Amino acid sequence: MHPEVKQNGPGTCPKCGMALESVEPVIEADESVELRDTTKRFWVSLVFAVPLLVIAMAHMAMHISMPAYLPVSAISWVQLGLATPIVFWGGWPFLVRAWQSLVHRHLNMFTLIGLGVMVAYLYSVVGVLMVEKFPPSFKDAMGNVGVYFEAAAGIIVLVLLGQILELRAHKQTGNALRALLELAPSSARRIRDDEYEEDVNLDQIQVGDRLRVRPGEKIPVDGKVLSGASVVDESMLTGEPIPVEKTAGGKVIGATLNGSGTLVILAERVGNDTVLSQIVQMVAAAQRSRAPIQKIADRVSGYFVPIVVAIALITFVTWFLFGPQPALAYACINAVAVLIIACPCALGLATPMSIMTATGKAASVGILFTDAEAIETMHKIDTLIVDKTGTLTEGTPELSTIIVLGDIDEKELLRVAASLEQGSEHPLAAAIIDAARKRNIQLSPPQQFKALPGMGVSGNLDHREVALGNLALLNIFKLDPADAQSHAEPLRRDGSTVMFVISDRKIVGLIAVTDPIKATTAQALHALREEKLNIVMVTGDGETTARAVAAKLGIDDVVAGVLPDQKAGIIKQRQEDGHIVAMAGDGINDAPALAQAHVGIAMGTGADVAKESAGVILVKGNLQRIVRARRLSRLTMRNIKQNLFFTFIYNLLGVSIAAGALYPFFGILLSPVVAAAAMSFSSVSVILNALRLRRVNL
């Protein structure tokens, strides 16, 4: 259970004693191995515990009214016989974990359970085997020492029951993850080179295979449509309810549902490289991560068990010295009750259960938290810095204008620009290359290619020194943009991004690319402003272009002409001013800024390196998901605080009552069996409270 503990193969955690979970998520059977084993031990132990409890209660009742008819020593031996298999078979996993906690010096819930059970059991065994060694004050009128086998056995049975309820409830926290795993189809229809079609298992599909997806079938892997037309329901991964039209050249995601048309797709990502696999791995990693608030529980847990053991010892000594007769019996039973009721299981579960449930819920609506810290911080942000291209805009720009300024024709200008951009990963480069290919322009490979982040690209082409970029690039080449600016400025005011083409250190033309604003952006920004967030657009585009886009979206705070390393600096400055800053972006040049922000938010359609730097990934790149993420963050933190509050109050009251605080006033003592039931209830109640997050409306 402890996220920092990893080992090869299954086993128990040396820190908390709970069963370790697989790092790689798997589709489990209806019941886990641990749940089946615990259930079997519970039912067998219950079979022995029922007659043990009946005998113990009957013995106490008959002892008062008809002592002459009771073979007390024989009854004690029967209780010993019934309790022993419960303690050493039913409770064996708890005893082993208790011993391991002592060996590893990580005291935990099983330390207290093991101590409590063994104190009650061993005291009773000594009371049966060595009754003559006890002083008269410890014996009843019949000369017998009271035994508490039913307490030791009852603790085991109730802890087993609590473990069953906990395991079943814990399993529900992973339902969203298992639902994602189950989305993938088990087979695919592959088209061989000879056009023969065959059904094969999904793990046999390789990159480059052609696959046929018939109406109503799930798309098996990520790929590109080669032929056919259909609509695809992607809601199971993106949270978007409206089906998406797919035609030749379109991208499809594995595990999404094909509509009424037939598609032939080319497999591009298979196995662990698919979007579905990456989502599952991210959710699993987030569920294992720790939120900062967990440090509070960790610090408390580090001192909790030793303090409880100390309180139990003080309880024992106090009752032994000042309690009524038989003092030793009262001392033992109350000390055991303290050990059992103070079990820190609920404290350890308070944060992880809420985090697990929240990450699963988020994944179901197209939001991926990559770590628990992002969940805790998301609702605190007051400033949202957004990139323009791919975040506010579609990220699929198109060439809109070509203006020739030098001794070169339009086709040659586009050939130079597109050839040079072949080495760039920027979305604007793809738009220029795509325009050249649509015009059947033959491209040439550039020599000495160099990417200049935030400025453009340069290289040699056909023995000429060429470059393509913005005003900052012109400064590098010490060129006067005056004439070119008169052509560029009107395009920028229309929201286009303008790039200058340089050949042999002369401006020979300019190219304008337009990236349409996403249809959801305006509504998303309105919702974010209602969240009292300050929206800041930070972009590498020129001032005029940036202001034109910002004006359409109602963004007042704009920082334009920013180099990639400067974005991180802007965020750092806002942080130093006392703001909690989130950064939303999708390009490789956004990665440093995403890492610098308190919360990095990556568009799911963006570059992998940007997603690796982010704490939150929006699968469909829709900024409206940020509002949902903030709401889930608030609800999750409220849920965690409820769990921690309940746990602390429970332990404060429970330990006091178990130690006998109510006895001088009301004559009330807490049986170890009742303490075991209360301990199990506390753990289950924490999990059930965490599970409420699955039903929240985002």
Side-chain angles (χ1 to χ4, degrees):
M1 290 285 291
H2 198 284
E4 297 174 2
V5 175
K6 294 183 180 180
Q7 71 177 34
N8 292 326
T12 57
C13 175
K15 290 190 175 183
C16 68
M18 301 296 288
L20 292 173
E21 296 181 3
S22 174
V23 174
E24 293 295 330
V26 295
I27 299 178
E28 298 178 356
D30 290 338
E31 289 187 352
S32 67
V33 174
E34 184 184 15
L35 179 56
R36 286 197 300 271
D37 180 70
T38 304
T39 302
K40 181 172 68 175
R41 291 179 188 273
F42 167 74
W43 286 113
V44 173
S45 298
L46 186 63
V47 169
F48 284 90
V50 169
L52 172 60
L53 184 61
V54 170
I55 291 172
M57 294 179 66
H59 167 56
M60 288 186 289
M62 294 172 64
H63 182 67
I64 297 173
S65 57
M66 294 179 295
Y69 297 98
L70 293 176
V72 176
S73 59
I75 290 177
S76 296
W77 279 98
V78 171
Q79 291 184 67
L80 172 61
L82 290 171
T84 299
I86 298 175
V87 171
F88 290 104
W89 183 79
W92 182 251
F94 307 146
L95 301 181
V96 170
R97 294 176 186 182
W99 174 252
Q100 289 175 340
S101 72
L102 298 175
V103 171
H104 294 296
R105 297 182 181 179
H106 287 292
L107 305 184
N108 53 48
M109 59 173 285
F110 296 103
T111 313
L112 302 182
I113 293 172
L115 285 174
V117 169
M118 292 312 296
V119 167
Y121 178 80
L122 292 177
Y123 172 83
S124 301
V125 170
V126 173
V128 173
L129 300 180
M130 305 176 66
V131 63
E132 69 280 356
K133 300 294 184 181
F134 283 79
S137 60
F138 290 178
K139 300 176 182 178
D140 58 21
M142 302 292 295
N144 297 300
V145 175
V147 293
Y148 298 94
F149 290 115
E150 81 284 356
I155 291 169
I156 293 295
V157 171
L158 287 170
V159 172
L160 284 169
L161 177 61
Q163 288 284 287
I164 291 171
L165 296 175
E166 183 178 313
L167 287 168
R168 289 188 181 278
H170 180 272
K171 181 179 177 181
Q172 294 182 46
T173 65
N175 280 348
L177 195 58
R178 278 183 288 274
L180 286 172
L181 284 166
E182 292 169 353
L183 285 176
S186 58
S187 63
R189 192 166 188 82
R190 182 168 59 189
I191 304 174
R192 301 193 319 199
D193 293 339
D194 60 3
E195 300 303 319
Y196 177 78
E197 298 183 8
E198 58 181 351
D199 291 324
V200 298
N201 290 332
L202 199 62
D203 56 9
Q204 297 179 26
I205 301 301
Q206 298 180 355
V207 173
D209 284 348
R210 290 183 300 151
L211 308 172
R212 184 179 299 280
V213 185
R214 291 167 291 193
E217 290 184 336
K218 288 183 178 180
I219 294 172
V221 296
D222 297 359
K224 179 175 67 175
V225 177
L226 295 176
S227 64
S230 185
V231 292
V232 176
D233 181 2
E234 298 179 345
S235 61
M236 61 284 297
L237 293 182
T238 67
E240 298 287 350
I242 301 175
V244 182
E245 292 185 7
K246 302 293 180 181
T247 56
K251 298 290 186 178
V252 290
I253 305 173
T256 54
L257 185 63
N258 185 30
S260 58
T262 297
L263 300 174
V264 175
I265 68 171
L266 178 70
E268 293 182 329
R269 289 188 176 188
V270 301
N272 291 332
D273 294 330
T274 64
V275 169
L276 175 64
S277 295
Q278 291 175 1
I279 288 175
V280 169
Q281 291 165 15
M282 287 178 184
V283 174
Q287 290 183 343
R288 287 181 59 86
S289 65
R290 319 201 89 184
I293 196 173
Q294 177 67 20
K295 295 177 182 178
I296 299 174
D298 289 344
R299 284 196 295 269
V300 173
S301 296
Y303 299 101
F304 186 81
V305 176
I307 290 174
V308 169
V309 172
I311 293 174
L313 289 174
I314 293 172
T315 300
F316 178 88
V317 172
T318 302
W319 278 92
F320 180 72
L321 295 177
F322 305 107
Q325 296 299 329
L328 181 60
Y330 277 109
C332 286
I333 292 304
N334 288 316
V336 168
V338 169
L339 291 172
I340 297 302
I341 201 167
C343 177
C345 183
L347 182 62
L349 292 171
T351 299
M353 289 298 102
S354 298
I355 294 296
M356 289 184 67
T357 308
T359 51
K361 175 65 177 181
S364 69
V365 293
I367 303 168
L368 302 181
F369 285 100
T370 62
D371 59 58
E373 185 174 358
I375 298 179
E376 180 170 339
T377 309
M378 191 68 193
H379 74 288
K380 301 177 183 177
I381 63 174
D382 56 42
T383 301
L384 175 63
I385 293 179
V386 293
D387 180 45
K388 181 179 76 69
T389 304
T391 304
L392 300 177
T393 63
E394 292 287 356
T396 54
E398 296 180 352
L399 180 65
S400 58
T401 306
I402 299 176
I403 298 178
V404 176
L405 299 177
D407 187 16
I408 189 174
D409 61 28
E410 183 177 302
K411 183 176 181 181
E412 178 62 14
L413 183 69
L414 181 56
R415 187 186 77 86
V416 170
S419 296
L420 191 56
E421 290 283 32
Q422 288 180 103
S424 175
E425 85 293 335
H426 200 281
L428 300 181
I432 296 171
I433 295 170
D434 185 57
R437 287 176 175 165
K438 286 180 178 178
R439 302 184 190 192
N440 297 318
I441 296 176
Q442 188 68 33
L443 305 183
S444 303
Q447 304 298 319
Q448 298 180 3
F449 174 83
K450 184 184 295 184
L452 304 170
M455 292 181 285
V457 292
S458 66
N460 290 330
L461 190 70
D462 301 332
H463 307 292
R464 288 180 295 171
E465 183 183 14
V466 295
L468 176 73
N470 56 22
L471 284 172
L473 184 68
L474 298 186
N475 293 332
I476 294 293
F477 282 87
K478 298 180 180 179
L479 295 174
D480 183 6
D483 293 337
Q485 281 283 63
S486 62
H487 297 281
E489 201 63 19
L491 297 172
R492 293 196 187 102
R493 285 196 294 268
D494 191 43
S496 297
T497 299
V498 179
M499 291 164 282
F500 301 96
V501 183
I502 301 170
S503 178
D504 289 333
R505 293 188 173 269
K506 295 180 182 179
I507 302 174
V508 296
L510 54 84
I511 291 178
V513 173
T514 302
D515 189 6
I517 295 172
K518 292 178 181 177
T520 58
T521 296
Q523 184 178 355
L525 293 179
H526 175 73
L528 290 168
R529 289 190 191 95
E530 289 188 338
E531 290 272 320
K532 308 302 182 184
L533 287 181
N534 178 35
I535 312 296
V536 185
M537 186 173 79
V538 178
T539 177
D541 280 349
E543 185 77 22
T544 304
T545 301
R547 291 288 178 185
V549 174
K552 294 177 182 178
L553 296 172
I555 299 175
D556 298 323
D557 198 344
V558 179
V559 184
V562 178
L563 298 178
D565 57 337
Q566 294 174 330
K567 288 185 180 181
I570 291 170
I571 292 174
K572 186 175 181 180
Q573 182 60 54
R574 302 263 175 162
Q575 291 171 329
E576 290 174 352
D577 291 340
H579 295 287
I580 307 298
V581 182
M583 166 70 188
D586 79 327
I588 288 177
N589 61 351
D590 293 326
L594 291 171
Q596 175 65 43
H598 290 104
V599 180
I601 304 171
M603 303 297 106
T605 52
D608 288 341
V609 69
K611 288 182 278 188
E612 291 170 4
S613 305
V616 181
I617 297 173
L618 308 180
V619 176
K620 200 65 175 177
N622 187 341
L623 290 176
Q624 289 176 317
R625 293 289 187 273
I626 296 178
V627 178
R628 291 188 173 189
R630 281 171 58 80
R631 173 170 169 74
L632 182 60
S633 172
R634 281 193 294 268
L635 292 173
T636 302
M637 295 313 300
R638 184 188 305 168
N639 192 273
I640 290 173
K641 290 174 182 177
Q642 290 169 350
N643 287 343
L644 291 174
F645 175 79
F646 169 78
T647 301
F648 286 130
I649 293 298
Y650 162 81
N651 281 300
L652 180 64
L653 296 177
V655 170
S656 301
I657 295 173
L662 298 180
Y663 186 78
F665 307 101
F666 306 104
I668 296 175
L669 288 176
L670 195 65
S671 163
V673 177
V674 176
M679 180 270 293
S680 298
F681 170 76
S682 70
S683 299
V684 174
S685 62
V686 164
I687 296 177
L688 292 177
N689 186 51
L691 289 176
R692 292 192 304 113
L693 290 171
R694 295 187 307 162
R695 300 190 297 272
V696 299
N697 182 19
L698 298 179

